[in-house]
Each structure stands twice: as C-alpha cells, then as structure tokens.
Amino acid sequence: NDNYTVVKEFILLGLTQSRDIQLLVFVLVLIFYLIILPGNFLIILTIRSDPGLTAPLYFFLGNLAFLDASYSFIVAPRMLVDFLSEKKVISYRGCITQLFFLHFLGGGEGLLLVVMAFDRYIAICRPLHYSTVMNPRACYALLLALWLGGFVHSIIQVALILHLPFCGPNRLDNFFCDVPQVIKLACTDTFVVELLMVFNSGLMTLLCFLGLLASYAVILCRVHGSSSEGKSKAVSTCTTHIIVIFLMFGPGIFIYTRPFRAFPADKVVSLFHTVIFPLLNPVIYTLRNQEVKASMRRL
C-alpha cells in the first residue's frame, strides 16, 4: 500500500563503527575481489573452452562459478563504496532489489548444490544409467528448474516485505539489505511475516542441508565397499561437496532459522555468507578437481 510507505531510503549502520576494523575489512574484501573473482571467470572460461570437460559435473561447476560471481556483485561493491563514504544510504527500491537478487541467486545456488549431489549420486551409485539419466537435455532442464526455484523463493520474500508498512524508523543494522533486518523496521506486528520468512528461507535452507548430507552419506556408504581407485576419487569429490555445503548452508541456517533476534555474530556471519564464501566455493571445487586443474594449466 503506497500511502503507508513513507520511508524512501534506509540508513545502513554498516559492519562496525570502528574505523580500524572497517579498514581491515575493506582491504580484505578488496583482496578477495581482485584475486577470486578473476579466479571464478577463469573456471568458467576453462570449462567452456576445454572439449574434455563436457561431463555434467563440469557443466554444473561452471554454473556454480557463474552464480557465485554474480552473487558476489550484489553486496560487496556497494559495501566497498560505503566503507569510504560517511553516510551509508540505500533507497527503498534499491533495498528491495538487493534483497531480491540476494535470495534469487542464493536460492538458485542452494538448489544447484542439490542438483550436483544428485549428479554425483547417479554417477557413483548408478554408473550404468548415468549417460541416459544425465543427458544434456536433463541437465538444461535441471538448470532451468533451479533458476525457477530461486526466483519463486525470492519473489515470496519480496512480496511479504512489499506488504509491510514502513513509516519512520529507517536505520538498518547491517551493511546490506536482508529480510531479518528490514522486517524489524516495519510499523506493524511482524510475527506472522517472520514465521513465513523462517518457513521460506530457514526451512528451505535446513531441508536442503539435511537432504544433501544424507545423500552424501548414502554415496559414501555405497562407495565404501567398492574398488580402491574409484573409491578415493569418489571420496575426494564427496568431501569437497560436503565442505562447500557446510560453508554455504551453515551461515544460512544461522541467519534464517530463528525468529529474528539480533545476535552480535550476525554481521560477521553475513559478511562470510555474502562476500567471502561465494567466491571461495568454486575455488574449493576446482582445486580438488584434477581434470579442471590440468585443463587450466593447458589454458
């Protein structure tokens, strides 16, 4: 309702009030950007240009690097600019936009990790059916499904927030716009909305996380009885995936599964969740993958 929304902009309180810590974080984020963002593009380039890397695993790995690189553009550049400016202001529309893309790409990435787990399950537990199940058409269909899933998840978040009246308080206690902090500023009782948010973000994150851990447990049990050569490779791949799952879903569960009381650790967790981990994920995958590493050296 337009006559409710008096708030045209939010003032971001940022990560911390200490100049020294701000400077440290600024340098850290900048280094991350300058090293790891090109790294992500290198992964995409390597996978696109090497005819030997056409397996579904690499197709999804390339998409993960793309998603992560895109995701890292949502919060970090704005944050770097804000570090250098006295007043950190974001418009109401800018805030909603940031929030939309955060959940669109974040949700898509969560679903992509589910798809990658499914891919590994078929490859390791049903090797004879692998080429028929994971054919190119199926891969594109899965890709479309995860983009759609991310979109639906995000639209629900945005719809819930657009319904809320904002009439005064506009100091947002974070360095970017996310659901928990924005909800707190609404001039109404937000209990129901918070519950819906926990169901949409928190439950989705938790279910994906538990489902993924279960699927990798099944794969590892299945591999346990097989020949040594394939076994070590499968275990290596699964371990990599599990590390990334913890990095990706751990902070998400911490932020979204509890009705929104602020914890001091929130901002630090958010920093890792929005800036540091996304850039690390593809790097972890790639450094643990011999084929991609060899292909990069050739490139």
Side-chain angles (χ1 to χ4, degrees), residues 24-25 51 60 62 130 172 218 228 248-249 277 285:
L24 180 71
V25 174
F60 293 127
Y130 185 68
L172 199 70
V218 169
S228 56
M248 163 107 188
F249 287 101
F277 291 155
Y285 271 106

Side-chain angles (χ1 to χ4, degrees), residues 218-240:
V218 169
I219 293 174
L220 289 172
C221 288
R222 185 65 65 91
V223 166
H224 193 64
S226 71
S227 68
S228 56
E229 194 269 326
K231 184 174 168 180
S232 64
K233 194 173 168 185
V235 169
S236 166
T237 307
C238 290
T239 320
T240 311

Side-chain angles (χ1 to χ4, degrees), residues 147-159:
W147 281 101
L148 265 173
F151 181 76
V152 169
H153 159 71
S154 187
I155 278 292
I156 295 172
Q157 303 281 65
V158 171

Side-chain angles (χ1 to χ4, degrees), residues 41-83:
F41 286 119
L42 179 63
I43 294 170
I44 296 168
L45 188 67
T46 306
I47 290 172
R48 300 289 312 180
S49 62
D50 188 336
L53 299 179
T54 50
L57 177 64
Y58 304 113
F59 173 72
F60 293 127
L61 186 58
N63 278 291
L64 180 74
F66 174 73
L67 264 173
D68 274 324
S70 311
Y71 188 78
S72 69
F73 279 117
I74 302 169
V75 174
R78 164 105 219 187
M79 180 184 168
L80 290 172
V81 174
D82 279 348
F83 274 130

Side-chain angles (χ1 to χ4, degrees), residues 93-110:
R93 281 190 173 161
C95 186
I96 297 294
T97 308
Q98 193 177 48
L99 201 141
F100 169 77
F101 281 106
L102 205 69
H103 285 272
F104 175 38
L105 295 173
E109 184 164 347

